[in-house]
Structures are given as C-alpha cells and as structure tokens.
Amino acid sequence: MRKIIILFTATLLLLTGQSCKDVLVEIPISQVGSQYLDTPAGFEAAARGAYQTLRNFYGREIGMNLTVFGTDTYTMGADGSYKFMNQYLSQFDGRVDLIRNLWNDFYIGINTANLVIDASENIAGIDATVKKRRVAEMKFLRAHHYFVMVQTWGPVALVLKGNTEPTKAFTRAPVKDVYAAIVSDLESSLADLPPTTSGVDYGRANRGAAEHLLARVYLTKATSEAAAADDYAKAVTHATNVTKNYSYSLLPDFARVFEQGGGEINSEVIFATQYTSDPLTNGPGNQTHLYFGMEYDTQAGMQRDTQNGRPFKRYKPTTYMTETVFAPANRMNDSRYKKTFKDTWICNRPGTYTNVFDDSKTTLTFAAGDTTIFIPGVEMSKAERAKRKYQVLVPSNYRLNLFPTLQKHLDPLRPDRTYEQGSRDFLMFRLAETYLILGEAQFRLGKLPEAAEAINVVRRRAAWPGRTTQMEVTPAQVTLDFILDERERELAGEMFRWFDLKRTGKLIERVKAHNTDAAANIKDFHLLRPIPQDQIDRTTDGVTTFPQNPGY
C-alpha cells in the first residue's frame, strides 16, 4: 500500500470535456481494458488504485487551502496565488482550478470504488473473505469522499453504481440523502474490515478507522440539516469503541507523533494517506512541508536547507492563534506550543551581516552552528534583545514573511533543498482526535464530567513533566469555545479547522473577530464552497438541474 499505482483507471464519473459537444463524443478508455476488472488481478489492482485519490486532498495545496485558509487561526503569508480563498473575495468562484480538480478527483475515486463493489457480485477466483474485505474498504473510501464533499459543497451528485460510459444526467442529492449513504457505507463495512492492519496491508482501511470516521460523521451530522436525535450518542459509542476495543494508544510525547521515518507508523495513528520516498510511485508527494514555513532562508547566517524546508510562506498564524489558543500564560504547563512551532534556527551560512530585522542590533557575525534566529513567542524589550548574539523575532515584529513556523509537517528527509515531493505519510486519523470527538459529543449530551475526562486524556499527555495536574480541566471549564481551542492546540495544521468552525456554527463569528484579512468579506453563504462551473456546464439543462450554491 506504500507504493500505490493506479493499474486500473476507472472512467470518470464527471468527465472533463470543455463543451457539450466534447462530452457527447467522449470515448471512455482506461490504461487497461475495462474487462481487466473482472479478473482477480484487476479487481485487486482497482481496489488498490482507489486509495490514490486520497493523495489529491491530504498533503496537497487544495486540501490545505480549504481547511487552513479563512479561519480564525491562520491567514495568508507573503506568497501564494490563492490568497482570495483566505479573503473570501469574488475570485473564489466555480472557475477556481483547485475546486474543479478536487471535485473531479474525488468522483474518480468514488467511481472506482463503485466499479469494484459492482464487480464483486460476479467475480470468481478470489477468497470470499478477501472479497468482502475489499468491498468494505471501497465503502469506507466512498463514504470518506462523500463526507468531505457534503461538508464542502452541501448537496452533491450521489452515485452509488459504477459508470463505464459518459453521461450528462446528474442532480444534486439532498444533504440528508448523502449522509444516509455515508452512514450506511460505514456501518455496513464494520463487519468485514479487520480490526487493524499491518505489514503489507498497512495503509488499507480497517475497522478502527471506520469507527473513528463514523464518530466524526455523527458529530458533524448532528449540526447539519440531516441531524437526528441520536447522533451525539452514536458518536460517543463509536469514539468509545476506538479508545477501548483496539490496540491504539497515545504516545507519551506529543512531539513523537510527528517524528519522520518508518512511515510515521505508531500506536496513535489510526489511518493515514500513504506516501513514499520512491519517486516512481510517490506522484506529487506530500507537499505540506512547503506551506507553513517563514522566510528563514534569506536572513543573516542562513540559507535554505533540507532540515528547515523550502518555505512558501503560505500560511501565517493569526494573533488569536499565538496569543489566545497558545496563550503564553499556559505554556509553562502545556508543551504543545514549544513542540508545535519551531523557535530556533542554527547558522548554516557563516559570516558577518548588516541586513537584520531585529532593531536591537545593526550587525551580526555567525560561525557555523551558532544560533541565528530565536522566536520566544512573547515580547522582549529592545535592551534584552540587544544582549543576545542573534536575532530575536518578537510578536510585535511578526510580518507576512516572518512568523512562527509550524514544524509538524517539515520533511528533512527530502533528497535536496528544492525537492517538493515529500515522503511523509499524512496522518488523517489519530487517537488524540478520537478522544476530542468523544469529549465534544459528551459535552453536547450534557455529560460534562465525562467530557472533561476524555479531554483530559489528551491534555495530560501534553503536559510538561510535573505539570499534569495543572493541565487538567474541570467539568465547569468545558465549553464549546474551549473545545474548539483545544482541538487547535492538538490538531493545528492537520486539515480540521474550517470544518470544525463550520460544524460548531462559529465560522462567521470567529473569522470576523480574528482574521483581519477575511473579516470584511465573509458572508453566510461562505459556509459552502462554489460548485465547479465545469460540472454545471456539462450537466443536462445546466444550472436548472445542477444549480450553483447561493452567493457564487
């Protein structure tokens, strides 16, 4: 599974033709004949290939832009061509290529899953247990894709049978129908998925991953138009199962979760998008390492290296992130600020420099191995900074190209300093989030002691040695705002924030309050993203049968 190759390419559900005429004359083809799917080898190849589409969201620019940009905790840095997504400007419409690509890629994945499920009914030569497991995996992937899509776009085309011929007949299914399909797929997959996976099967869906996703689905569904009275109770059930019925456990040190090497395989990881160091099978790779870095490489004593990354300066933490979510007063107890943000840079370009951003000094001389930049995370007087033999970047001097760097995605194992195809697995589900899902669902049910205990499991792990008691929260301290901030302390940059704010009804309020680049423009209609215009254009009767989301 670490070397996913699409040996079978399913015909696109939603074709990429540029006009009605193009769609009508499109001939469905694949890299191999479609009859290959009816063989044991083809069936297995298609099932493996369906996982590839996870790479089109996790570890890629589109996934990060849709989940990190335009929130209360991250805004835009100096560089990047999609700032309008953070600012909620009119350029963010159905013609944006990233939106179109994600839509098409996920429907490719859905159609591949559909075709595998369809083929399973008649295929011979495969062990019955293996066949059931592959079908369950495809249901997991199909449910995952539709879950991301229904949160992003609302009503979408719900297709549960494979397409092998071009078609233009699509409509947008109600949100409640999409959620019903998601829940049905996940619930029915549980019996046929193994509890966990390892060895050659590592990276395939398993029962623990399906239960984790179900817990998240029910938590989200509970505040959607598809809400049911028992959604939170079901979220509690599945999250509790994950914490108690499997072999997962939190690592003792928060920082170790993100140590690179060995495929990022550890007891806390429930499911991950697989990447590899093999350039032949890694595709564009995990590119997350590019986006959160500050411009260290032009500063005195520094040049770009693999250890510190190739900084695109794309995502800059907001003041709310650095001063409230990671409040300085709490950092003596909570290790996650120190372990989330890089604070020290070591000289890799010795010499004497006068181009400094720290106004407490005019010139600096560095030898190899000296500290060149330190980010204390709190203000420091000019006199105090002047005593240091390096530059000190204080909060009042943060700017679009200089800011605290999220370090959990850095990829120092890249072969050279310009290489973009990172090899890290992208950690999609991990046990710490399961506990936070459990705590939030318990809170919603009014079970505050249980909510506090679930959250405290995560907070105790995050405590500095000897500070465990100080990290624990009481039931009275558990509020929705606290839960949102706790999720960001634990999960910053892991592609949750926009969905979290939307799910809790806090997106508009918090963006207006804490993201100065987006505050003036965000409106209620931004709770959904624009439907790709290509999809509307290539649907029979266009906008009449496949309408654009309001406001776009």
Side-chain angles (χ1 to χ4, degrees):
M1 289 306 297
R2 294 194 55 76
K3 296 184 178 181
I4 299 172
I5 305 174
I6 301 181
L7 299 177
F8 175 87
T9 301
T11 305
L12 283 106
L13 168 63
L14 306 179
L15 298 170
T16 56
Q18 296 301 306
S19 69
C20 292
K21 180 178 179 181
D22 290 337
V23 171
L24 291 173
V25 300
E26 188 81 43
I27 299 173
I29 60 172
S30 62
Q31 290 175 296
V32 294
S34 59
Q35 67 273 15
Y36 183 51
L37 182 58
D38 296 325
T39 69
F43 181 83
E44 288 283 14
R48 287 195 299 274
Y51 285 88
Q52 167 70 23
T53 51
L54 292 171
R55 290 180 172 181
N56 297 317
F57 186 61
Y58 295 99
R60 299 297 298 281
E61 182 174 32
I62 179 55
M64 283 290 160
N65 278 7
L66 286 174
T67 56
V68 173
F69 258 172
T71 65
D72 56 341
T73 54
Y74 269 97
T75 186
M76 57 201 190
D79 291 349
S81 56
Y82 294 95
K83 291 185 173 70
F84 57 81
M85 295 180 71
N86 175 69
Q87 296 169 293
Y88 295 95
L89 296 178
S90 59
Q91 294 100 306
F92 188 20
D93 61 22
R95 295 168 294 182
V96 175
D97 58 345
L98 295 181
I99 290 286
R100 179 184 66 242
N101 293 344
L102 178 62
W103 179 278
N104 288 339
D105 290 336
F106 266 16
Y107 272 118
I108 291 173
I110 289 167
N111 196 48
T112 304
N114 287 342
L115 290 168
V116 173
I117 294 169
D118 294 346
S120 69
E121 298 175 4
N122 300 309
I123 195 168
I126 295 182
D127 177 80
T129 300
V130 173
K131 185 191 300 185
K132 288 181 180 180
R133 184 178 298 177
R134 298 295 178 256
V135 169
E137 291 176 36
M138 296 303 100
K139 288 182 176 180
F140 169 87
L141 290 173
R142 183 169 69 182
H144 168 274
H145 287 11
Y146 272 125
F147 182 48
V148 171
M149 295 179 79
V150 75
Q151 293 176 90
T152 302
W153 288 291
V156 293
L158 182 61
V159 183
L160 303 177
K161 297 292 288 183
N163 271 353
T164 57
E165 296 181 358
T167 179
K168 297 172 61 183
F170 294 99
T171 58
R172 298 182 65 180
V175 167
K176 65 180 182 61
D177 292 350
V178 180
Y179 269 109
I182 292 167
V183 168
S184 175
D185 271 351
L186 291 174
E187 294 281 11
S188 66
S189 74
L190 295 178
D192 296 321
L193 288 172
T196 57
T197 49
S198 60
V200 295
D201 281 334
Y202 183 79
R204 290 187 182 275
N206 55 56
R207 195 181 311 149
E211 288 219 70
H212 177 97
L213 183 54
L214 262 171
R216 192 193 292 172
V217 166
Y218 279 122
L219 187 70
T220 305
K221 178 175 174 286
T223 56
S224 77
E225 59 196 84
D230 59 353
D231 283 339
Y232 289 125
K234 288 181 176 179
V236 167
T237 296
H238 289 293
T240 300
N241 288 346
V242 174
T243 64
K244 293 184 179 299
N245 296 344
Y246 300 91
S247 57
Y248 307 119
S249 61
L250 295 182
L251 296 184
D253 183 356
F254 172 79
R256 282 191 55 203
V257 179
F258 307 99
E259 287 181 354
Q260 190 176 10
E264 294 67 63
I265 301 171
N266 61 63
S267 64
E268 188 167 331
V269 176
I270 299 171
F271 190 68
T273 297
Q274 302 295 292
Y275 287 96
T276 173
S277 58
D278 184 348
L280 294 178
T281 58
N282 202 32
N286 183 347
Q287 299 178 337
T288 316
H289 63 91
L290 298 167
Y291 302 129
F292 291 91
M294 77 167 195
E295 194 176 44
Y296 76 90
D297 51 344
T298 63
Q299 308 308 319
M302 297 302 301
Q303 62 182 336
R304 185 181 302 172
D305 59 19
T306 56
Q307 185 70 30
N308 295 294
R310 179 180 176 180
F312 276 23
K313 307 176 288 293
R314 192 66 55 83
Y315 308 131
K316 174 184 178 292
T318 63
T319 301
Y320 184 77
M321 174 72 124
T322 55
E323 300 299 317
T324 301
V325 173
F326 288 100
N330 296 330
R331 296 177 198 166
M332 68 178 65
N333 302 322
D334 194 334
S335 70
R336 287 174 296 187
Y337 177 82
K338 171 73 173 178
K339 295 173 181 178
T340 295
F341 296 106
K342 182 177 177 63
D343 60 11
T344 304
W345 279 258
I346 304 301
C347 177
N348 61 14
R349 188 173 55 146
T352 298
Y353 300 88
T354 57
N355 57 325
V356 294
F357 59 74
D358 183 349
D359 63 357
S360 70
K361 60 262 305 175
T362 57
T363 184
L364 283 167
T365 298
F366 297 115
D370 288 348
T371 295
T372 60
I373 303 170
F374 175 61
I375 305 181
V378 294
E379 286 299 321
M380 188 181 292
S381 70
K382 186 173 181 179
E384 180 60 29
R385 285 185 280 123
K387 298 175 185 178
R388 311 294 179 101
K389 297 180 179 180
Y390 45 80
Q391 297 199 80
V392 180
L393 180 60
V394 291
S396 60
N397 206 23
Y398 294 167
R399 55 190 78 170
L400 293 181
N401 66 326
L402 295 173
F403 48 77
T405 291
L406 188 79
Q407 60 183 347
K408 62 176 65 172
H409 298 306
L410 291 177
D411 191 339
L413 299 185
R414 293 173 299 120
D416 66 64
R417 62 186 183 178
T418 64
Y419 201 74
E420 294 187 13
Q421 294 92 328
S423 62
R424 276 184 174 274
D425 291 350
F426 192 96
L427 309 186
M428 294 168 55
F429 307 164
R430 57 187 182 90
L431 188 62
E433 195 221 348
T434 316
Y435 279 109
L436 294 176
I437 290 172
L438 176 59
E440 185 176 341
Q442 297 280 29
F443 165 78
R444 295 285 197 169
L445 291 171
K447 299 180 178 181
L448 299 186
E450 292 88 344
E453 178 51 34
I455 293 168
N456 281 333
V457 173
V458 177
R459 288 181 62 81
R460 283 192 286 266
R461 189 271 294 274
W464 288 113
R467 309 298 291 182
T468 300
T469 300
Q470 292 85 341
M471 277 290 285
E472 293 178 345
V473 294
T474 66
Q477 291 174 298
V478 179
T479 65
L480 187 57
D481 285 320
F482 172 83
I483 289 169
L484 274 172
D485 288 351
E486 184 64 22
R487 283 185 63 86
E488 194 68 347
R489 282 186 282 271
E490 182 68 28
L491 304 170
E494 295 182 49
M495 294 180 59
F496 293 108
R497 194 58 174 180
W498 192 90
F499 292 135
D500 285 347
L501 294 179
K502 175 183 175 177
R503 169 174 50 77
T504 56
K506 295 284 188 175
L507 179 65
I508 307 298
E509 169 193 330
R510 284 199 169 213
V511 169
K512 283 183 175 293
H514 305 303
N515 188 326
T516 56
D517 295 310
N521 302 316
I522 191 168
K523 303 291 189 298
D524 288 345
F525 73 82
H526 289 121
L527 290 168
L528 293 175
R529 309 301 198 168
I531 297 292
Q533 188 61 41
D534 280 7
Q535 174 57 46
I536 297 171
D537 292 343
R538 63 196 177 202
T539 300
T540 301
D541 296 326
V543 71
T544 302
T545 55
F546 215 97
Q548 180 59 270
N549 279 328
Y552 293 103

Short mmCIF file of all heavy atoms in Angstrom, two decimals, residues 294 308 337-346 371-377 390-393 403-407:
data_model
loop_
_atom_site.label_atom_id
_atom_site.label_comp_id
_atom_site.label_asym_id
_atom_site.label_seq_id
_atom_site.Cartn_x
_atom_site.Cartn_y
_atom_site.Cartn_z
N MET A 294 8.36 30.10 7.47
CA MET A 294 8.67 31.52 7.30
C MET A 294 9.94 31.67 6.46
O MET A 294 10.65 30.69 6.19
CB MET A 294 8.86 32.19 8.65
CG MET A 294 10.18 31.93 9.33
SD MET A 294 10.46 33.05 10.71
CE MET A 294 12.22 32.80 11.01
N ASN A 308 15.33 22.69 7.43
CA ASN A 308 14.35 23.74 7.74
C ASN A 308 13.31 23.93 6.64
O ASN A 308 12.35 24.67 6.83
CB ASN A 308 15.07 25.06 8.00
CG ASN A 308 15.93 24.99 9.24
OD1 ASN A 308 15.44 24.85 10.35
ND2 ASN A 308 17.25 25.05 9.04
N TYR A 337 2.86 24.28 22.54
CA TYR A 337 3.36 25.44 21.81
C TYR A 337 4.81 25.20 21.38
O TYR A 337 5.17 25.37 20.21
CB TYR A 337 3.26 26.72 22.64
CG TYR A 337 3.84 27.92 21.92
CD1 TYR A 337 3.10 28.61 20.97
CD2 TYR A 337 5.16 28.32 22.14
CE1 TYR A 337 3.65 29.68 20.27
CE2 TYR A 337 5.71 29.39 21.45
CZ TYR A 337 4.95 30.06 20.51
OH TYR A 337 5.50 31.11 19.82
N LYS A 338 5.61 24.81 22.33
CA LYS A 338 7.03 24.56 22.05
C LYS A 338 7.22 23.47 21.01
O LYS A 338 8.11 23.56 20.15
CB LYS A 338 7.73 24.16 23.36
CG LYS A 338 9.15 23.67 23.21
CD LYS A 338 10.12 24.78 22.90
CE LYS A 338 11.56 24.28 22.93
NZ LYS A 338 12.53 25.35 22.57
N LYS A 339 6.37 22.44 21.05
CA LYS A 339 6.53 21.31 20.16
C LYS A 339 5.79 21.46 18.84
O LYS A 339 5.99 20.65 17.93
CB LYS A 339 6.08 20.03 20.89
CG LYS A 339 6.97 19.69 22.09
CD LYS A 339 6.43 18.55 22.91
CE LYS A 339 7.35 18.26 24.10
NZ LYS A 339 6.84 17.18 24.96
N THR A 340 4.97 22.49 18.75
CA THR A 340 4.24 22.76 17.50
C THR A 340 4.98 23.74 16.62
O THR A 340 5.02 23.58 15.40
CB THR A 340 2.83 23.29 17.82
OG1 THR A 340 2.07 22.27 18.47
CG2 THR A 340 2.10 23.71 16.54
N PHE A 341 5.58 24.76 17.24
CA PHE A 341 6.25 25.81 16.47
C PHE A 341 7.76 25.76 16.65
O PHE A 341 8.26 25.61 17.76
CB PHE A 341 5.73 27.19 16.89
CG PHE A 341 4.28 27.41 16.61
CD1 PHE A 341 3.35 27.39 17.62
CD2 PHE A 341 3.84 27.63 15.30
CE1 PHE A 341 2.00 27.58 17.37
CE2 PHE A 341 2.49 27.82 15.03
CZ PHE A 341 1.57 27.79 16.07
N LYS A 342 8.45 25.89 15.54
CA LYS A 342 9.92 25.93 15.56
C LYS A 342 10.35 27.28 16.11
O LYS A 342 9.86 28.32 15.66
CB LYS A 342 10.47 25.72 14.15
CG LYS A 342 11.98 25.70 14.05
CD LYS A 342 12.43 25.41 12.63
CE LYS A 342 13.94 25.44 12.52
NZ LYS A 342 14.59 24.41 13.33
N ASP A 343 11.29 27.29 17.06
CA ASP A 343 11.68 28.57 17.66
C ASP A 343 13.15 28.93 17.50
O ASP A 343 13.55 30.04 17.82
CB ASP A 343 11.30 28.62 19.15
CG ASP A 343 11.98 27.53 19.97
OD1 ASP A 343 12.89 26.85 19.46
OD2 ASP A 343 11.58 27.36 21.14
N THR A 344 13.95 28.00 16.97
CA THR A 344 15.40 28.26 16.90
C THR A 344 15.96 27.83 15.56
O THR A 344 15.65 26.74 15.07
CB THR A 344 16.14 27.50 18.03
OG1 THR A 344 15.58 27.87 19.29
CG2 THR A 344 17.62 27.83 18.02
N TRP A 345 16.80 28.68 14.97
CA TRP A 345 17.49 28.38 13.72
C TRP A 345 18.99 28.45 13.96
O TRP A 345 19.47 29.34 14.68
CB TRP A 345 17.10 29.37 12.63
CG TRP A 345 15.79 29.04 11.96
CD1 TRP A 345 15.61 28.46 10.74
CD2 TRP A 345 14.47 29.27 12.49
NE1 TRP A 345 14.27 28.31 10.49
CE2 TRP A 345 13.54 28.79 11.53
CE3 TRP A 345 13.99 29.83 13.68
CZ2 TRP A 345 12.18 28.86 11.73
CZ3 TRP A 345 12.62 29.89 13.87
CH2 TRP A 345 11.72 29.41 12.91
N ILE A 346 19.72 27.51 13.38
CA ILE A 346 21.16 27.37 13.58
C ILE A 346 21.90 27.75 12.30
O ILE A 346 21.51 27.34 11.19
CB ILE A 346 21.52 25.92 13.98
CG1 ILE A 346 20.74 25.51 15.23
CG2 ILE A 346 23.02 25.78 14.20
CD1 ILE A 346 20.99 26.37 16.44
N THR A 371 23.42 29.94 17.01
CA THR A 371 22.02 30.32 16.88
C THR A 371 21.95 31.61 16.08
O THR A 371 22.67 32.58 16.38
CB THR A 371 21.36 30.53 18.24
OG1 THR A 371 21.34 29.29 18.94
CG2 THR A 371 19.94 31.04 18.11
N THR A 372 21.08 31.66 15.07
CA THR A 372 20.91 32.88 14.27
C THR A 372 19.58 33.58 14.53
O THR A 372 19.51 34.81 14.50
CB THR A 372 21.00 32.57 12.76
OG1 THR A 372 19.96 31.64 12.42
CG2 THR A 372 22.34 31.99 12.39
N ILE A 373 18.53 32.80 14.76
CA ILE A 373 17.19 33.36 14.98
C ILE A 373 16.56 32.62 16.15
O ILE A 373 16.63 31.38 16.24
CB ILE A 373 16.29 33.21 13.74
CG1 ILE A 373 16.91 33.87 12.51
CG2 ILE A 373 14.90 33.80 14.00
CD1 ILE A 373 16.17 33.54 11.21
N PHE A 374 15.93 33.39 17.02
CA PHE A 374 15.15 32.80 18.11
C PHE A 374 13.79 33.48 18.16
O PHE A 374 13.71 34.71 18.08
CB PHE A 374 15.88 32.96 19.44
CG PHE A 374 15.08 32.47 20.63
CD1 PHE A 374 14.69 31.14 20.71
CD2 PHE A 374 14.72 33.34 21.64
CE1 PHE A 374 13.96 30.68 21.80
CE2 PHE A 374 13.98 32.89 22.73
CZ PHE A 374 13.60 31.56 22.82
N ILE A 375 12.73 32.68 18.28
CA ILE A 375 11.38 33.21 18.40
C ILE A 375 10.86 32.84 19.79
O ILE A 375 10.43 31.71 20.02
CB ILE A 375 10.45 32.66 17.31
CG1 ILE A 375 11.02 32.92 15.92
CG2 ILE A 375 9.05 33.26 17.43
CD1 ILE A 375 10.15 32.42 14.78
N PRO A 376 10.87 33.78 20.73
CA PRO A 376 10.48 33.44 22.10
C PRO A 376 8.98 33.27 22.29
O PRO A 376 8.54 32.68 23.27
CB PRO A 376 10.99 34.64 22.91
CG PRO A 376 10.96 35.78 21.94
CD PRO A 376 11.32 35.17 20.61
N GLY A 377 8.17 33.82 21.37
CA GLY A 377 6.72 33.71 21.49
C GLY A 377 6.11 34.73 22.41
O GLY A 377 4.89 34.75 22.59
N TYR A 390 22.18 37.00 18.53
CA TYR A 390 21.40 36.52 17.39
C TYR A 390 20.16 37.38 17.28
O TYR A 390 19.87 38.21 18.16
CB TYR A 390 21.04 35.04 17.57
CG TYR A 390 20.52 34.70 18.94
CD1 TYR A 390 19.19 34.97 19.31
CD2 TYR A 390 21.36 34.10 19.89
CE1 TYR A 390 18.73 34.66 20.58
CE2 TYR A 390 20.90 33.80 21.16
CZ TYR A 390 19.58 34.07 21.51
OH TYR A 390 19.13 33.77 22.76
N GLN A 391 19.41 37.19 16.21
CA GLN A 391 18.20 37.96 16.03
C GLN A 391 17.06 37.34 16.84
O GLN A 391 16.91 36.11 16.88
CB GLN A 391 17.79 38.02 14.56
CG GLN A 391 18.81 38.73 13.67
CD GLN A 391 18.21 39.16 12.37
OE1 GLN A 391 17.52 40.19 12.30
NE2 GLN A 391 18.46 38.39 11.32
N VAL A 392 16.27 38.20 17.45
CA VAL A 392 15.12 37.75 18.21
C VAL A 392 13.86 38.29 17.51
O VAL A 392 13.71 39.49 17.31
CB VAL A 392 15.16 38.25 19.66
CG1 VAL A 392 13.93 37.76 20.43
CG2 VAL A 392 16.45 37.78 20.35
N LEU A 393 12.98 37.38 17.13
CA LEU A 393 11.74 37.76 16.46
C LEU A 393 10.60 37.73 17.49
O LEU A 393 10.18 36.66 17.92
CB LEU A 393 11.43 36.80 15.31
CG LEU A 393 10.16 37.06 14.51
CD1 LEU A 393 10.18 38.45 13.84
CD2 LEU A 393 9.94 35.98 13.46
N PHE A 403 7.28 34.74 10.85
CA PHE A 403 6.25 34.34 11.80
C PHE A 403 6.58 32.95 12.34
O PHE A 403 7.41 32.23 11.76
CB PHE A 403 4.87 34.34 11.13
CG PHE A 403 4.83 33.63 9.80
CD1 PHE A 403 4.82 32.23 9.72
CD2 PHE A 403 4.83 34.35 8.62
CE1 PHE A 403 4.79 31.58 8.50
CE2 PHE A 403 4.80 33.71 7.38
CZ PHE A 403 4.78 32.31 7.33
N PRO A 404 5.95 32.53 13.44
CA PRO A 404 6.22 31.18 13.96
C PRO A 404 5.89 30.11 12.92
O PRO A 404 4.85 30.12 12.28
CB PRO A 404 5.28 31.09 15.16
CG PRO A 404 5.09 32.50 15.60
CD PRO A 404 5.08 33.31 14.33
N THR A 405 6.81 29.18 12.76
CA THR A 405 6.71 28.13 11.75
C THR A 405 6.19 26.83 12.35
O THR A 405 6.80 26.28 13.28
CB THR A 405 8.10 27.88 11.12
OG1 THR A 405 8.47 29.02 10.34
CG2 THR A 405 8.08 26.65 10.23
N LEU A 406 5.06 26.36 11.84
CA LEU A 406 4.55 25.05 12.24
C LEU A 406 5.55 23.99 11.80
O LEU A 406 5.92 23.93 10.62
CB LEU A 406 3.19 24.81 11.58
CG LEU A 406 2.42 23.58 12.03
CD1 LEU A 406 1.73 23.85 13.37
CD2 LEU A 406 1.36 23.19 10.99
N GLN A 407 5.99 23.15 12.72
CA GLN A 407 7.07 22.22 12.37
C GLN A 407 6.63 20.77 12.22
O GLN A 407 7.43 19.92 11.79
CB GLN A 407 8.18 22.31 13.42
CG GLN A 407 7.80 21.98 14.83
CD GLN A 407 8.96 22.18 15.80
OE1 GLN A 407 10.12 22.33 15.38
NE2 GLN A 407 8.67 22.17 17.09
#
